[in-house]
Amino acid sequence: MASAASNIPGPARHDSQGIPMHAPGRRLTTATNPHKDIHPVPEKSHVGPDIEAYKAAHSDTVGPHSDAWWAQQARDNLTWIKDFSIVRTGGFPSAEELKEDNPNPPSTLPITWFPDGALNACYNCVDRHAFKNPDLTAIIYEADEPGEHQYITYGMLLNEVCRVANVLKDMGVKKGDTVTIYLPMTWQAAAAFLACARIGAIHSAVFAGFSAESLRDRILDCGSTVLITADEGRRGGRSVATKVIADQALKECGDANPVKHVLVLSRTGSKTVAEQHFTPGRDVWWHEAVSNVPSYCPPEVMNSEDGLFILYTSGSTGKPKGILHTTGGYLLGALLTVKYVFDVHPGDKFACMADIGWITGHTYIIYGPLSLGTTTTFFESTPATVFVSVLYLTIFFLSSMAYFNHYTRSISYPTKRYWETVSKHGLTQFYSSPTAVRLLRKLGHQHVQDHDLSSLRVLGSVGEPINPEAWNWFNEHVGKGECAIVDTFWQTETGSIIVTPLPGAIETKPGSATVPFFGIETEIVDSMSGKTLEGDNIEGVLCIKKPWPSIARTIWGDHKRFVDTYLRPYPGYYFTGDGAGRDEHGYIWIKGRVDDVINVSGHRMSTAEVESALLLHNGVAETAVIGTSDEMTGQAVNAFVTMKPEFSYDSAIEPALIKELVLQVRKIIGPFAAPKRIFIVTDLPKTRSGKIIRRILRKIVAGEGDQLGDLSSVAEPEIVDVIKQKVADSMSA
């Protein structure tokens, strides 16, 4: 296993100066990743006490003998209606199999796990726990409104799931049908997901921040006959016109509209929606429908390879890709990663701060924690909000876009919601994004220090590589130096985490995803030749050698696209699309998407590396680095930077500040990495979940600011115009 950290000895390890390498705060010098700390493992965990224990455990999960381990895990952790006799079939196609004239193309050589077994995902997530302990809290629902929360027990969840399942059956939904879910972050979203799984319907959840156009495209692609939505959503003090957007999406479907029924959750009790945006005969109120059906619905018998859900991701062609995950393998991957990556034990309260509209929400809010029988968290609000909207919302429709004119007023809104939530509920695991961590770091640690976070044991990061500065802030101010930190790497397509530290076994380095999870065999491959790169201190693209249980099976309705995107680029492997390096200790460093690697005059560097260098400046709060075409060097580095509130400077000295930042990058990385342009801005374009949307920045710098497309996923769309003006002024100066 080339990527395992096989050459790190035990606790007595020292560097060349005789400094103990496990000591927090000490520096580890590496060829590819300088200035990175190594932090020790925690005590008492599922795997440990050191990397040798991890290596022994991991060796059981890969190779020709590993079927026995996977069979035992599947039987020990999941409840099967019909036992399986086959653990897995298929693999990644070779170059020969990928030839166009091959009589047995990859589409006829499926990847399967436990293919002759039968189970039900909902039963595994709800029933078996409700029967054992109906009063155990399944969901902590932290509402957007400060101070409002609700505890949903497994017994309550079973009742609601069964009722929603019966409503769907009354609407004609049957096994194999698709149901589109367009809901805000309310606990009832879990009931909607699980009701579909209970009756064998495939759910397609659409992030409730997406536009009518995006929702329309997804409904048409998967052909849903039922849409589940809400009157309005709440987020950061704002009311969002969810039902109005849904209505517009259905209108835009035209004659091809497959939706016959709309189930509407009353989240805010909007009179406007009830009186003006409710279609009798098609629309049904959730609370009325569930009160008129039986409180029990028997679970459908599902083959392990039957579809569980479709989740759409953005595609390079502009058409969203409907990633299909199946039942048995996905559920096992979700459960095992929650258990081992986050070191979950009975009585824990797990919190993933993502949205259920993304894969992180599917796996680490719903299916992973609930299948394990632990308590999960629905956090409806935001980590920080500087204003809220009044309840009046004027909505204008122009072509296929929904434009919202919020009448806002400046109101103080809590910037401590994360920490209040942790303290109030005694959360034990906290999983968030690097962007959110950087935002919280920007706001200052004074918002953290007044709250009791002693219940926390594991902190997690997901979505993009976390820079060491944010990692260290997370460790020092949230974890108080006592929590394990897991910097996880995975994708919508992988279904669950594939590269990660394991608390109790893996010493961590800020910014490194470290080692492969169970069943994952990573390879660093040369991007040009496709050959495996041996040894350490190397960089290439990250590929996976063998299928794992939770890997996506196909793209809905377009398996050829699945093969061309993930299997054809490097035959015999799954291609993640990410660049990666392996350091001298065998640790994996994710460099970001291949298109986020900048090549300046033959020098390849990741955008994350440049961002990390800029964040070392004491005044920098956030940064986003992009590569743009350059006539002389092939590509040039462009950086967008926001400054900390307490870092004051006169605009007259902005050129001097920019020069200072450029010199810092030159000093830390080298002259070749020096940004050609740095734009100091007030904020960056982000999704509602806090992820920076770099494609917008690329287009603006490339002079394509009039071709930005759908901006409905941007949390603060007005910042886009501010950035466009800033770039225009800078370019003309």
Side-chain angles (χ1 to χ4, degrees):
M1 185 182 63
S3 57
S6 57
N7 58 343
I8 302 183
R13 184 163 45 89
H14 292 70
D15 67 10
S16 58
Q17 284 84 39
I19 298 171
M21 301 275 285
H22 66 273
R26 293 296 186 182
R27 299 296 188 186
L28 170 72
T29 302
T30 72
T32 56
N33 295 283
H35 60 269
K36 304 298 188 286
D37 297 336
I38 286 185
H39 290 255
V41 300
E43 299 178 357
K44 297 182 181 179
S45 55
H46 287 300
V47 182
D50 52 32
I51 196 167
E52 295 305 319
Y54 157 77
K55 291 195 307 184
H58 188 272
S59 67
D60 290 337
T61 71
V62 296
H65 61 281
S66 59
D67 279 9
W69 189 89
W70 286 106
Q72 180 178 344
Q73 293 300 315
R75 292 188 175 110
D76 288 350
N77 289 287
L78 299 177
T79 300
W80 295 84
I81 300 170
K82 176 181 177 291
D83 195 16
F84 54 88
S85 62
I86 301 169
V87 174
R88 66 180 119 185
T89 68
F92 300 137
S94 65
E96 185 68 24
E97 292 171 319
L98 287 165
K99 287 183 177 178
E100 297 294 338
D101 58 355
N102 179 19
N104 295 303
S107 60
T108 64
L109 302 171
I111 294 167
T112 69
W113 282 80
F114 321 112
D116 59 343
L119 73 169
N120 185 278
C122 179
Y123 183 93
N124 275 275
C125 289
V126 186
D127 300 50
R128 60 180 182 160
H129 309 305
F131 296 156
K132 182 179 179 180
N133 188 355
D135 296 327
L136 176 66
T137 299
I139 297 171
I140 298 169
Y141 169 47
E142 181 71 16
D144 183 63
E145 295 85 354
E148 293 191 15
H149 68 273
Q150 188 176 1
Y151 295 129
I152 310 300
T153 67
Y154 274 97
M156 294 165 62
L157 183 60
L158 176 60
N159 182 288
E160 193 74 5
V161 166
C162 285
R163 290 181 182 275
V164 176
N166 281 324
V167 170
L168 294 177
K169 290 175 73 173
D170 286 351
M171 291 177 171
V173 178
K174 59 186 182 300
K175 180 177 178 178
D177 288 348
T178 60
V179 173
T180 296
I181 299 173
Y182 187 64
L183 284 171
M185 276 294 295
T186 61
W187 74 266
Q188 288 90 346
F193 278 47
L194 294 163
C196 292
R198 191 171 194 84
I199 64 175
I202 301 170
H203 61 75
S204 170
V206 180
F207 172 55
F210 275 153
S211 67
E213 183 181 36
S214 298
L215 178 59
R216 174 203 67 197
D217 291 345
R218 287 155 173 77
I219 289 172
L220 290 174
D221 189 69
C222 68
S224 296
T225 58
V226 172
L227 170 65
I228 304 177
T229 188
D231 56 352
E232 292 181 319
R234 292 281 299 172
R235 195 74 165 173
R238 294 179 175 182
S239 293
V240 181
T242 310
K243 180 59 164 61
V244 177
I245 300 170
D247 282 353
Q248 181 64 16
L250 296 180
K251 180 180 179 180
E252 291 178 12
C253 287
D255 294 339
N257 180 16
V259 174
K260 306 301 180 186
H261 303 280
V262 179
L263 183 61
V264 186
L265 177 72
S266 178
R267 167 60 183 88
T268 65
S270 168
K271 291 184 179 180
T272 301
V273 170
E275 295 171 359
Q276 301 178 24
H277 301 284
F278 202 84
T279 303
R282 184 197 69 180
D283 298 353
V284 179
W285 287 111
W286 176 304
H287 60 279
E288 293 178 356
V290 298
S291 66
N292 293 318
V293 293
S295 60
Y296 183 73
C297 173
E300 187 75 28
V301 178
M302 304 297 292
N303 181 273
S304 179
E305 283 298 313
D306 282 338
L308 179 60
F309 65 84
I310 303 165
L311 187 57
Y312 286 87
T313 68
S314 299
S316 59
T317 64
K319 179 184 178 182
K321 298 176 295 186
I323 301 298
L324 176 69
H325 281 286
T326 54
T327 304
Y330 168 81
L331 200 61
L332 183 61
L335 183 152
L336 291 179
T337 47
V338 168
K339 178 179 179 178
Y340 289 106
V341 175
F342 298 98
D343 194 37
V344 171
H345 295 267
D348 280 358
K349 297 175 182 178
F350 185 89
C352 171
M353 313 309 280
D355 191 283
I356 49 94
W358 309 115
I359 187 64
T360 307
H362 282 55
T363 305
Y364 296 111
I365 295 178
I366 298 178
Y367 286 110
L370 294 179
S371 64
L372 192 59
T374 195
T375 298
T376 190
T377 304
F378 269 66
F379 182 79
E380 190 178 29
S381 193
T382 58
T385 308
V386 295
F387 64 85
V388 298
S389 301
V390 296
L391 296 178
Y392 303 102
L393 186 66
T394 305
I395 302 162
F396 301 95
F397 290 107
L398 179 61
S399 299
S400 62
M401 288 289 292
Y403 290 88
F404 304 97
N405 181 19
H406 290 272
Y407 291 92
T408 64
R409 55 194 173 94
S410 178
I411 299 177
S412 176
Y413 201 74
T415 58
K416 305 177 181 180
R417 287 300 300 275
Y418 272 3
W419 320 127
E420 289 173 346
T421 302
V422 171
S423 179
K424 176 171 34 173
H425 303 297
L427 303 180
T428 49
Q429 290 83 12
F430 182 88
Y431 195 30
S432 190
S433 69
T435 300
V437 174
R438 286 192 290 266
L439 171 62
L440 296 166
R441 173 177 175 259
K442 175 181 178 179
L443 293 173
H445 66 270
Q446 67 272 16
H447 297 295
V448 184
Q449 61 190 15
D450 294 335
H451 295 86
D452 180 7
L453 307 184
S454 60
S455 61
L456 289 173
R457 293 201 325 273
V458 180
L459 306 178
S461 169
V462 60
E464 57 183 304
I466 186 170
N467 56 291
E469 295 71 33
W471 194 103
N472 284 317
W473 184 90
F474 207 21
N475 177 51
E476 179 181 353
H477 295 290
V478 181
K480 312 300 182 185
E482 297 179 352
C483 290
I485 297 185
V486 289
D487 180 2
T488 64
F489 171 74
W490 62 297
Q491 305 167 322
T492 301
E493 297 85 348
T494 70
S496 60
I497 294 165
I498 60 172
V499 183
T500 177
L502 293 183
I506 305 299
E507 294 180 331
T508 50
K509 302 181 188 181
S512 173
T514 67
V515 296
F517 185 65
F518 297 148
I520 304 298
E521 297 177 87
T522 57
E523 293 283 8
I524 308 295
V525 174
D526 182 82
S527 61
M528 300 302 292
S529 68
K531 294 182 179 179
T532 300
L533 298 174
E534 303 293 343
D536 296 326
N537 291 324
I538 49 93
E539 289 190 18
V541 295
L542 183 64
C543 295
I544 313 297
K545 288 174 63 176
K546 301 290 183 181
W548 57 98
S550 64
I551 185 175
R553 300 304 194 258
T554 190
I555 291 174
W556 183 260
D558 195 351
H559 190 69
K560 182 179 183 299
R561 189 180 181 190
F562 181 83
V563 172
D564 290 345
T565 302
Y566 306 109
L567 309 182
R568 192 177 298 278
Y570 299 97
Y573 295 105
Y574 168 84
F575 174 46
T576 65
D578 282 271
R582 188 166 57 237
D583 68 16
E584 74 269 32
H585 295 113
Y587 278 18
I588 296 170
W589 298 77
I590 305 300
K591 301 295 183 179
R593 302 298 295 173
V594 172
D595 55 7
D596 284 341
V597 174
I598 305 174
N599 192 328
V600 179
S601 300
H603 296 282
R604 290 172 59 83
M605 72 199 85
S606 70
T607 55
E609 190 175 9
V610 182
E611 290 170 358
S612 181
L614 287 166
L615 284 166
L616 287 174
H617 188 281
N618 61 9
V620 173
E622 286 187 296
T623 180
V625 169
I626 60 170
T628 57
S629 297
D630 187 272
E631 185 176 352
M632 292 295 293
T633 60
Q635 284 188 299
V637 177
N638 289 259
F640 290 81
V641 169
T642 67
M643 309 306 292
K644 295 176 182 176
E646 66 269 23
F647 185 85
S648 60
Y649 70 98
D650 192 309
S651 59
I653 67 166
E654 184 170 300
L657 178 58
I658 290 173
K659 184 177 180 180
E660 184 179 330
L661 293 170
V662 170
L663 290 174
Q664 177 159 304
V665 175
R666 288 172 61 95
K667 178 182 178 182
I668 294 172
I669 303 177
F672 63 89
K676 184 175 182 179
R677 298 185 187 88
I678 293 180
F679 307 99
I680 299 178
V681 293
T682 56
D683 203 355
L684 297 168
K686 301 170 188 171
T687 65
R688 289 168 177 80
S689 60
K691 189 170 184 178
I692 297 170
I693 311 176
R694 288 173 172 80
R695 68 169 179 84
I696 292 176
L697 302 176
R698 290 192 192 96
K699 282 188 170 290
I700 291 174
V701 175
E704 300 172 357
D706 59 341
Q707 303 172 36
L708 298 179
D710 183 6
L711 298 180
S712 61
S713 63
V714 182
E716 303 293 343
E718 59 270 19
I719 196 62
V720 175
D721 289 331
V722 174
I723 292 173
K724 285 165 69 173
Q725 187 61 51
K726 180 75 174 186
V727 171
D729 293 343
S730 179
M731 296 286 197
S732 61

